[in-house]
C-alpha cells in the first residue's frame, strides 16, 4: 500500500509539473477565449478585474456594390467576369471633355438602404473629388461624398447566438455614422512571371455605397454577425447582391484595444476582407496580437494590415503614421443631389419619374430580416433561435415554408428536420440550400409518411440518408427495402416474446422495480425489427 501511495504521489507531482509547463507556454490561448467570447460562451479564465483587462474595439467600413445595370456616372454595363476592358466608356477612361451623368437607380438604392437602417436622409447632398493615386482609376481622383453624404445617423440591429449551449439569441446595436455614394476603382492584375501589372477597367466607375459603422463592437463574432445582418438586409432590399466572393461586399475593419473607462487605443486597419468567416478570424487575431504587444510593454503601430487566410494572421501592408492628404475639393461637374419628400414637394416643371422621392421609396420597402424572424415565431410558434437559423441561411426559410405547405407535420417538427438533418448534410458537403439533393416536396413526402404512421422516426432518418445518396423518393426506398412500420400485433408479440425469453436477467430486474432496463429491451426489439416496430404497440407488448 505504501509503495502504491508513493507511486500515486509521484504521478500527481509529474502531472502537475507537465500542466504548469503547458500553460506557461500557451497563455495566449487562454486570453483569446476570455477576450473574444467572454460575453456569450466562455467563463472568465483570468482573475484580472474588468477594469484592468484589455478589450477589443471594432469599427467597420463596408463598400457595397450597388445592384444596377449601369455604372454610377456612365452608361457602361455592370457585369462580373466580362472580358477585360470590355465595359469601359469614354468617361470611365477619363477622356478629355467627358462629363458624369448621375445614375438615378444608384441614388434610390442608397436612399432605400438608408431608410432600412433608420438613417436620416439628407435632402441635399454633395459630391467631392478625392485625389489619391489610383493606378486603376484613369482620372487620378475618385468622385465620392465627403462634406455631406446622402444618409447619416443610422442604426443596425443584429443578433447572434450565445449562452452555454449557443441557443440564446442576443440582440446588439451598432450605429451607422453615414452612407455615401462613390465610384469603384478598376482592378490591377499582377503578373509575377513577366514582372508587369495589367489593368482591367471594367469595375472602374461602378456605383458603391460606403457604410461607415461606429466602433460599437468588441470582437470578431459581433462584427461578423453585424455584416451578415447587413448582407441579408441589402439582399432583401435588392440594393446589393452581397456576394463577398465576387467583391460585391468588401469590409475594412478598424481594430484597437483598451481598458474599459480609458481612451481608445491606437487602431490598425485590416483591409479588404472577403468573407464573414475570415472577418471574425482576422479581427480576433488582431485583437489578440495587440493585447500581446501591450502586455509585453510594446506599442501598437498605426498601420494598414491584410489578412492571410492560409496563415490565419494579419500581415503588414503599409504604415499610416503620416496623415494622407486626399485634397478633397467640390466636384465641379455635378450639381447638389436633391431628394424630395413627396410628389407635392416637387418644383414646377420637374418630372416625378426623374426625381428621387422619399415617400415612394419608403412605400416600396420589403419585409426585412428582423421582421421575418418575428413573423416566423408568431405565425408558426417556433423558437427564436430556430428563426435565427432559418433566416440567416440563404434560401432556408423559403425551403422550410415550402415543406410546411405540403405536409401535415407541425412547424416545430419541420423546423427540426430542416435545421438538423438538411442543414447538417449541406454543411457537411459545403453546399448551399439551392444545391440540396432533396427538394422541399420530397422531404414533405417523407414527413407525411412518418406522420401517417407508415414509418417510424428512426426509419425516417434512415430513409432521408438514402434519399440524399440515391436520389430516389421516400416511397421507393421504403418499398424496396421493406421499411414499413410493423403494426401486426401478432408478429410484434412474437418478436417481443423472443427478446424477453432470451434476456431473463433483464426481465427479473424489471419485475423488481428497475424500469430503466425496459429501455434496453425496447432497443433490442427495435434492432430486431430494424426500427420498424410501432412504438405504441411495442410498449403495450413489453
Amino acid at each position: 500500500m505504501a509503495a502504491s501511495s508513493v507511486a500515486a504521489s509521484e504521478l500527481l507531482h509529474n502531472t502537475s509539473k507537465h500542466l504548469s509547463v503547458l500553460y506557461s507556454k500557451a497563455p495566449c490561448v487562454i486570453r483569446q477565449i476570455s477576450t473574444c467570447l467572454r460575453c456569450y460562451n466562455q467563463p472568465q479564465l483570468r482573475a484580472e478585474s474588468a477594469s484592468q483587462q484589455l478589450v477589443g474595439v471594432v469599427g467597420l467600413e463596408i463598400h457595397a456594390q450597388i445592384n444596377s445595370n449601369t455604372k454610377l456616372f456612365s452608361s457602361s454595363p455592370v457585369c462580373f467576369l466580362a472580358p477585360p476592358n470590355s465595359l469601359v466608356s469614354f468617361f470611365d477612361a477619363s477622356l478629355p471633355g467627358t462629363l458624369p451623368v448621375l445614375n438615378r437607380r444608384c441614388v434610390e438604392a442608397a436612399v432605400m438602404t438608408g431608410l432600412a437602417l433608420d438613417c436620416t436622409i439628407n435632402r441635399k447632398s454633395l459630391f467631392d473629388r478625392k485625389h489619391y493615386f489610383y493606378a486603376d482609376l484613369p482620372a487620378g481622383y475618385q468622385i465620392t461624398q465627403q462634406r455631406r453624404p446622402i444618409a447619416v445617423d443610422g442604426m443596425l440591429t443584429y443578433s447572434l447566438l450565445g449562452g452555454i449551449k449557443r441557443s440564446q439569441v442576443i440582440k446588439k446595436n451598432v450605429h451607422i455614422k453615414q452612407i455615401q455614394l462613390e465610384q469603384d476603382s478598376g482592378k490591377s492584375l499582377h503578373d509575377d512571371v513577366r514582372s508587369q501589372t495589367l489593368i482591367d477597367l471594367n469595375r472602374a466607375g461602378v456605383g458603391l455605397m460606403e457604410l461607415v459603422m461606429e466602433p460599437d463592437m468588441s470582437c470578431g463574432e459581433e462584427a461578423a454577425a453585424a455584416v451578415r445582418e447587413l448582407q441579408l438586409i441589402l439582399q432583401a432590399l435588392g440594393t446589393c447582391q452581397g456576394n463577398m466572393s465576387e467583391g460585391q461586399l468588401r469590409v475594412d475593419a478598424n481594430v484597437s484595444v483598451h481598458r474599459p473607462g480609458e481612451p481608445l487605443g491606437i487602431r490598425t486597419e485590416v483591409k479588404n476582407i472577403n468573407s464573414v468567416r475570415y472577418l471574425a478570424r482576422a479581427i480576433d487575431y488582431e485583437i489578440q496580437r495587440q493585447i500581446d504587444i501591450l502586455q509585453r510593454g510594446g506599442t501598437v503601430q498605426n498601420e494598414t494590415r491584410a489578412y492571410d487566410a492560409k496563415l490565419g494572421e494579419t500581415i503588414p501592408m503599409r504604415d499610416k503614421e503620416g496623415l494622407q492628404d486626399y485634397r478633397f475639393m467640390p466636384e465641379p461637374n455635378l450639381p447638389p443631389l436633391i431628394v424630395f419628400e413627396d410628389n407635392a414637394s416637387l418644383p414646377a416643371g420637374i418630372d416625378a419619374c426623374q426625381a428621387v422621392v422619399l415617400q415612394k421609396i419608403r412605400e416600396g420597402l420589403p419585409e426585412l430580416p428582423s421582421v421575418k424572424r418575428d413573423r416566423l415565431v408568431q405565425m408558426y410558434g417556433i423558437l427564436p433561435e430556430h428563426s435565427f437559423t432559418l433566416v440567416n441561411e440563404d434560401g432556408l426559410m423559403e425551403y422550410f415554408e415550402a415543406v410546411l405547405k405540403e405536409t401535415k407535420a407541425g412547424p416545430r417538427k419541420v423546423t427540426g428536420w430542416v435545421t438538423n438533418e438538411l442543414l447538417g448534410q449541406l454543411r457537411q458537403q459545403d453546399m448551399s440550400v439551392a444545391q440540396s439533393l432533396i427538394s422541399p416536396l420530397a422531404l414533405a413526402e417523407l414527413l407525411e409518411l412518418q406522420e401517417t404512421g407508415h414509418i417510424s422516426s428512426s426509419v425516417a432518418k434512415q430513409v432521408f440518408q438514402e434519399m440524399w445518396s440515391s436520389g430516389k423518393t421516400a416511397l421507393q426506398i421504403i418499398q424496396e427495402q421493406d421499411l414499413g412500420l410493423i403494426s401486426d400485433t401478432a408478429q410484434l408479440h412474437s418478436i417481443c416474446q423472443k427478446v424477453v425469453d432470451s434476456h431473463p436477467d433483464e426481465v427479473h430486474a424489471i419485475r423488481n422495480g428497475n424500469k430503466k432496463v425496459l429501455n434496453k429491451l425496447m432497443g433490442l426489439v427495435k434492432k430486431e425489427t430494424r426500427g420498424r416496430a410501432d412504438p405504441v404497440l411495442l410498449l403495450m407488448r413489453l
Side-chain angles (χ1 to χ4, degrees), residues 209-396:
M209 294 180 287
E210 182 178 358
L211 298 97
V212 181
M213 294 184 179
E214 299 285 8
D216 296 336
M217 295 157 283
S218 62
C219 64
E221 186 179 15
E222 290 185 358
V227 169
R228 178 57 181 148
E229 186 70 11
L230 176 65
Q231 190 178 37
L232 290 170
I233 290 172
L234 295 176
Q235 289 169 345
L237 297 173
T239 57
C240 173
Q241 293 178 357
N243 189 331
M244 296 184 77
S245 63
E246 294 183 3
Q248 294 167 351
L249 202 67
R250 285 163 271 162
V251 184
D252 300 339
N254 294 307
V255 183
S256 65
V257 297
H258 78 137
R259 291 182 173 85
E262 296 183 2
L264 298 182
I266 297 172
R267 70 181 185 183
T268 60
E269 182 182 29
V270 186
K271 295 281 288 184
N272 294 330
I273 307 170
N274 62 0
S275 88
V276 172
R277 181 177 57 181
Y278 289 158
L279 174 67
R281 292 178 182 177
I283 289 172
D284 285 342
Y285 175 86
E286 184 59 22
I287 288 172
Q288 193 57 53
R289 186 189 72 85
Q290 293 185 23
I291 288 174
D292 290 342
I293 290 173
L294 294 175
Q295 289 183 339
R296 292 196 303 266
T299 302
V300 175
Q301 300 298 315
N302 182 212
E303 61 183 344
T304 299
R305 301 177 70 86
Y307 179 66
D308 189 316
K310 292 182 180 178
L311 297 175
E313 301 175 358
T314 62
I315 55 177
M317 290 177 63
R318 57 183 179 271
D319 69 73
K320 300 179 73 172
E321 293 300 332
L323 183 63
Q324 177 68 44
D325 184 4
Y326 292 115
R327 296 188 177 274
F328 285 102
M329 61 171 284
E331 170 55 55
N333 295 323
L334 287 168
L337 172 57
I338 306 298
V339 176
F340 300 95
E341 179 61 36
D342 49 33
N343 288 341
S345 63
L346 292 174
I350 298 291
D351 185 354
C353 295
Q354 298 300 317
V356 178
V357 181
L358 270 178
Q359 182 183 14
K360 180 181 177 182
I361 296 174
R362 191 179 285 114
E363 290 172 353
L365 287 174
E367 185 181 50
L368 296 178
S370 59
V371 179
K372 286 182 181 179
R373 295 189 192 99
D374 292 341
R375 176 172 64 81
L376 287 173
V377 172
Q378 293 171 9
M379 182 180 295
Y380 302 118
I382 64 176
L383 298 174
E385 56 265 29
H386 290 158
S387 72
F388 182 87
T389 304
L390 289 173
V391 172
N392 278 36
E393 292 289 335
D394 286 331
L396 196 62

